[in-house]
Amino acid sequence: MDLHTHTRFSDGIGYIRDNIAEAERKGLRIVGISDHIHFFTSHVLNSYLSLINRAKKESETIVLAGIEANILPEGVDITDDMRKRLDYVIASVHMYFNLGSHYKYLELVKTAIQDENVDIIGHFGNVFPYIGHPSIEDYKEIVNLAEEYGKGFEISTRYRVPELDFIKLCIKRGVKLVFGSDAHQPKDVGNVNWSLKAFKKAGGKKEDLLFSELL
């Protein structure tokens, strides 16, 4: 699976059909289109979902309609009405932090985990090399909260996160995982080798993945 791909509907360079064609070429079972939410108006969303829904009927690969929302200090910028029309929502932090302020990042993630419109936390920890790494106790708190609220985490090949210990904690606590390339061009769709290797190294099995019933 690759549930994190972008198209010309946001900051990608390919069309939806191009991403799906690449997923088919690489033999993916599931591909998700998950463009950045801040590029959308209601009219653009209608066009986006119309094209994805048409592709669902035509593709041998399972196509899911997603979106990547932003985790902001005031909350996640996804509305109830928009969520109802999508198969899943990734929520990611796209903010800058000062060195030593990883706790601010974690507080934002906690907010997103508790948002009922969010399904997956995107590229968790991609900023840690620059702002400092949390403790294992911090990780446990995040995973426990995700278990309580039924949220999953992306294993991102682009950023090579989360850390192996975090992935192991998710598997141990039954927190679901997904693979994501974070592709911004069609040729990168399905490039999830690092995600798959990390998942297997952590002891993951098919049932530990979100949408495993489709695999």
Side-chain angles (χ1 to χ4, degrees):
M1 67 163 68
D2 184 356
L3 292 190
H4 195 155
T5 78
H6 297 281
T7 74
R8 292 167 65 108
F9 273 94
S10 61
D11 58 349
I13 64 171
Y15 293 97
I16 288 173
R17 63 175 180 268
D18 297 328
N19 283 19
I20 295 169
E22 186 67 12
E24 291 174 340
R25 190 181 72 80
K26 289 178 178 167
L28 292 188
R29 180 63 180 156
I30 304 172
V31 63
I33 310 298
S34 55
D35 276 299
H36 292 285
I37 195 171
H38 48 279
F39 285 81
F40 285 87
T41 63
S42 59
H43 175 71
V44 173
L45 180 65
N46 288 339
S47 299
Y48 178 75
L49 292 176
S50 176
L51 290 170
I52 293 175
N53 288 331
R54 185 186 310 166
K56 286 184 178 187
K57 299 174 183 177
E58 299 172 350
S59 176
E60 294 181 3
T61 297
I62 295 169
V63 181
L64 298 179
I67 213 159
E68 185 178 15
N70 300 293
I71 307 174
L72 305 169
E74 59 270 26
V76 182
D77 57 353
I78 179 81
T79 65
D80 294 345
D81 289 340
M82 184 179 288
R83 174 61 189 89
K84 292 174 184 176
R85 303 181 66 188
L86 298 162
D87 294 314
Y88 66 97
V89 170
I90 299 172
S92 307
V93 177
H94 295 114
M95 297 171 59
Y96 294 98
F97 301 86
N98 295 323
L99 182 63
S101 60
H102 62 269
Y103 61 94
K104 293 182 179 180
Y105 176 92
L106 293 179
E107 288 304 313
L108 290 175
V109 170
K110 290 175 189 176
T111 297
I113 288 172
Q114 296 174 75
D115 189 319
E116 63 182 8
N117 289 322
V118 172
D119 302 288
I120 302 159
I121 303 299
H123 48 68
F124 175 76
N126 66 314
V127 297
F128 292 158
Y130 312 102
I131 67 173
H133 288 78
S135 68
I136 190 66
E137 295 306 317
D138 290 327
Y139 279 168
K140 288 179 179 177
E141 184 180 0
I142 292 291
V143 172
N144 288 344
L145 194 65
E147 179 189 15
E148 179 182 350
Y149 284 88
K151 300 301 161 65
F153 286 87
E154 172 194 11
I155 304 178
S156 171
T157 289
R158 179 182 182 186
Y159 293 105
R160 300 197 170 192
V161 293
E163 294 181 57
L164 187 62
D165 285 344
F166 187 87
I167 298 172
K168 288 179 177 178
L169 280 174
C170 288
I171 292 169
K172 182 178 180 181
R173 299 306 298 266
V175 171
K176 300 297 185 180
L177 298 159
V178 303
F179 304 153
S181 65
D182 207 343
H184 284 72
Q185 52 188 342
K187 71 176 184 179
D188 291 334
V189 172
N191 290 350
V192 293
N193 287 343
W194 186 90
S195 303
L196 181 58
K197 288 178 181 177
F199 179 70
K200 288 182 175 179
K201 191 173 183 179
K205 300 178 181 178
K206 188 176 82 168
E207 54 267 28
D208 297 314
L209 296 170
L210 189 64
F211 299 119
S212 62
E213 69 279 5
L214 301 177
L215 294 170

